[in-house]
């Protein structure tokens, strides 16, 4: 199940995976998966790779910021709300809006009480945990299709 909510606003592990043959890659776009639970991150990142996306992984929002500052191209961020470190998922979404407005963010959480209404002007797609990797991929594809990355080749 997914809904739309609004929001304001990387540890050191991240990994970029490049496809060997971009001609056979169905989705030559890069998704950044920000999730502190290694099994959840591996599950969704693995599925996204299996269907052809490039994937950059981060265990914290601080790591995700480092990846973005490095110049690594990212077309969408799929981010857990509950993250360790200085910045949680909502704060990271605000940071993204302020620094990388054109990159869409999808938030996810299993904690029902964290579904926010922080800002009525900036809606952020939300996917409730637990979710199947296919559900995440479907929401990612629909958000990308509505974004600048989905409207023109990069």
């Amino acid at each position: 199940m997914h809904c739309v909510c609004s929001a304001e606003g990387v540890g050191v592990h991240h990994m970029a995976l490049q496809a060997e043959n971009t001609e056979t890659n169905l989705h030559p776009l890069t998704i950044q998966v920000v999730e502190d639970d290694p099994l959840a991150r591996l599950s969704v990142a693995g599925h996204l790779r299996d269907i052809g996306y490039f994937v950059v992984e981060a265990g914290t929002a601080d790591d995700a910021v480092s990846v973005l500052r490095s110049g690594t191209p990212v077309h969408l961020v799929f981010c857990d709300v509950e993250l360790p470190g200085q910045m949680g998922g909502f704060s990271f979404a605000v940071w993204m809006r302020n620094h990388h407005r054109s990159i869409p963010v999808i938030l996810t959480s299993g904690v029902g009480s964290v579904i926010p209404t922080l800002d009525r002007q900036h809606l952020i797609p939300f996917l409730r945990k637990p979710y199947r990797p296919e559900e995440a991929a479907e929401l990612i594809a629909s958000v990308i299709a509505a974004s600048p990355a989905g409207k023109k080749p990069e």
Side-chain angles (χ1 to χ4, degrees):
M1 172 180 134
H2 63 75
C3 65
V4 176
C5 65
S6 58
E8 287 188 355
V10 163
V12 174
H13 173 73
H14 71 272
M15 179 172 90
L17 199 64
Q18 300 296 321
E20 291 179 11
N21 183 351
T22 57
E23 290 179 18
T24 61
N25 189 343
L26 299 176
H27 309 281
L29 301 175
T30 301
I31 309 301
Q32 184 175 47
V33 175
V34 187
E35 169 65 65
D36 62 317
D37 177 339
L39 294 178
R41 187 174 64 237
L42 178 63
S43 175
V44 73
H47 181 71
L48 293 172
R49 287 184 181 110
D50 287 347
I51 62 172
Y53 289 105
F54 298 134
V55 176
V56 178
E57 297 181 32
T60 69
D62 298 321
D63 284 346
V65 168
S66 294
V67 168
L68 290 159
R69 286 184 173 155
S70 77
T72 299
V74 172
H75 299 93
L76 181 137
V77 174
F78 185 77
C79 183
D80 189 17
V81 169
E82 300 286 322
L83 294 170
Q86 297 295 314
M87 193 183 319
F90 295 130
S91 297
F92 180 60
V94 171
W95 185 89
M96 287 295 297
R97 187 173 65 212
N98 292 332
H99 294 89
H100 296 280
R101 184 175 291 274
S102 66
I103 301 174
V105 176
I106 297 173
L107 292 176
T108 183
S109 179
V111 182
S113 64
V114 301
I115 300 173
T117 306
L118 298 175
D119 182 336
R120 293 180 188 209
Q121 295 176 356
H122 298 94
L123 296 178
I124 293 187
F126 181 84
L127 184 64
R128 181 180 299 284
K129 290 179 180 181
Y131 57 81
R132 291 178 298 109
E134 297 82 8
E135 292 174 295
E138 182 180 310
L139 181 56
I140 287 167
S142 70
V143 170
I144 285 176
S147 76
K151 293 182 182 2
K152 63 181 180 200
E154 295 274 335

